[in-house]
C-alpha cells in the first residue's frame, strides 16, 4: 500500500467504518448503553487520522511524510478532546456535521444539528491514536524507490 489515499483501503480502516455504521445504525438503537457510546468513539478516533492523511495525499497526488502523520494524529486528538470538553466547540461541531449530513439525505428535511454527548470520560479513547499511528506507519514504511517521499518516510534501509 503505497499509493495516495490507500490507507482507507486497509483492513483496519474498513473494519472501523463497519463498526461505526453497525453501531450507529443498529446497536445504539437496540442497546444504547455506555459500550455502544464508546465503540463509535474508538472507531472514529482510530479512523480519522487515516481519513485526514488520505484526503491530503489525494490532493497532493503523492504520499506524505512524518510531519503530516504527526499532524493528523495531533489534530484528531486535540479536536476530539475539544468537542468533548469545550462547549462552544462541541456546539459548532454538532451544527457542522448536521449541515454535512443534509446532502446525504438528498436535502430533504430541516437543517438540524447532530447530538454529541459531551462526556469527559470519553477522553480515555485517545490512546487508540497509537494504533492509528502503527497502522499508518506500517502502510507507509517505504515509498517506492526514487519517489521524493522515500527519504521522508523511510526509516532506513530495508532488506530486499
Amino acid at each position: 500500500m503505497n499509493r495516495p489515499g490507500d490507507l482507507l483501503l486497509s483492513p483496519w480502516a474498513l473494519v472501523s467504518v463497519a463498526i461505526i455504521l453497525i453501531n450507529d445504525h443498529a446497536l445504539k438503537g437496540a442497546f444504547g448503553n455506555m459500550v455502544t457510546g464508546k465503540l463509535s468513539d474508538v472507531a472514529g478516533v482510530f479512523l480519522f487520522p487515516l481519513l485526514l492523511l488520505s484526503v491530503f495525499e489525494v490532493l497532493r497526488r503523492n504520499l506524505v511524510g512524518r510531519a503530516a502523520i504527526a499532524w493528523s494524529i495531533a489534530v484528531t486528538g486535540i479536536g476530539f478532546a475539544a468537542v468533548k470538553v469545550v462547549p462552544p466547540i462541541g456546539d459548532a461541531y454538532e451544527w457542522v456535521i448536521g449541515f454535512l449530513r443534509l446532502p446525504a439525505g438528498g436535502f430533504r428535511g430541516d437543517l438540524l444539528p447532530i447530538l454529541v454527548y459531551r462526556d469527559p470520560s470519553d477522553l480515555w479513547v485517545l490512546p487508540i491514536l497509537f494504533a492509528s499511528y502503527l497502522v499508518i506507519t506500517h502502510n507507509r514504511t517505504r515509498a517506492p524507490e526514487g519517489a521524493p517521499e522515500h527519504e521522508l518516510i523511510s526509516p532506513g534501509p530495508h532488506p530486499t
Side-chain angles (χ1 to χ4, degrees):
M1 294 187 130
N2 277 320
R3 293 183 310 191
D6 64 4
L7 284 170
L8 291 179
L9 299 176
S10 76
W12 292 104
L14 298 175
V15 166
S16 294
V17 170
I19 288 171
I20 292 168
L21 291 174
I22 292 167
N23 190 51
D24 287 357
H25 297 284
L27 298 179
K28 281 185 180 179
F31 303 106
N33 58 28
M34 186 180 80
V35 173
T36 59
K38 302 289 190 237
L39 191 57
S40 289
D41 289 344
V42 170
V45 168
F46 172 83
L47 182 64
F48 198 71
L50 282 68
L51 175 64
L52 283 177
L53 285 175
S54 293
V55 168
F56 188 58
E57 288 176 347
V58 167
L59 291 174
R60 288 186 55 205
R61 295 192 175 117
N62 61 20
L63 299 178
V64 298
R66 288 187 177 127
I69 293 169
W71 172 85
S72 72
I73 300 288
V75 165
T76 300
I78 293 167
F80 181 78
V83 166
K84 292 296 183 171
V85 299
V86 180
I89 294 175
D91 293 344
Y93 175 80
E94 289 177 343
W95 280 100
V96 167
I97 299 301
F99 175 77
L100 293 175
R101 288 176 54 176
L102 206 54
F107 294 99
R108 292 185 309 267
D110 296 328
L111 170 61
L112 297 171
I114 64 166
L115 178 60
V116 174
Y117 292 100
R118 296 194 190 106
D119 180 3
S121 74
D122 287 343
L123 300 182
W124 75 266
V125 306
L126 289 175
I128 198 69
L129 288 170
F130 183 68
S132 301
Y133 174 80
L134 293 176
V135 168
I136 292 166
T137 56
H138 174 74
N139 286 295
R140 294 292 181 259
T141 55
R142 186 176 176 105
E145 290 293 334
E149 300 79 23
H150 179 75
E151 298 302 318
L152 295 173
I153 62 176
S154 181
H158 288 29
T160 55

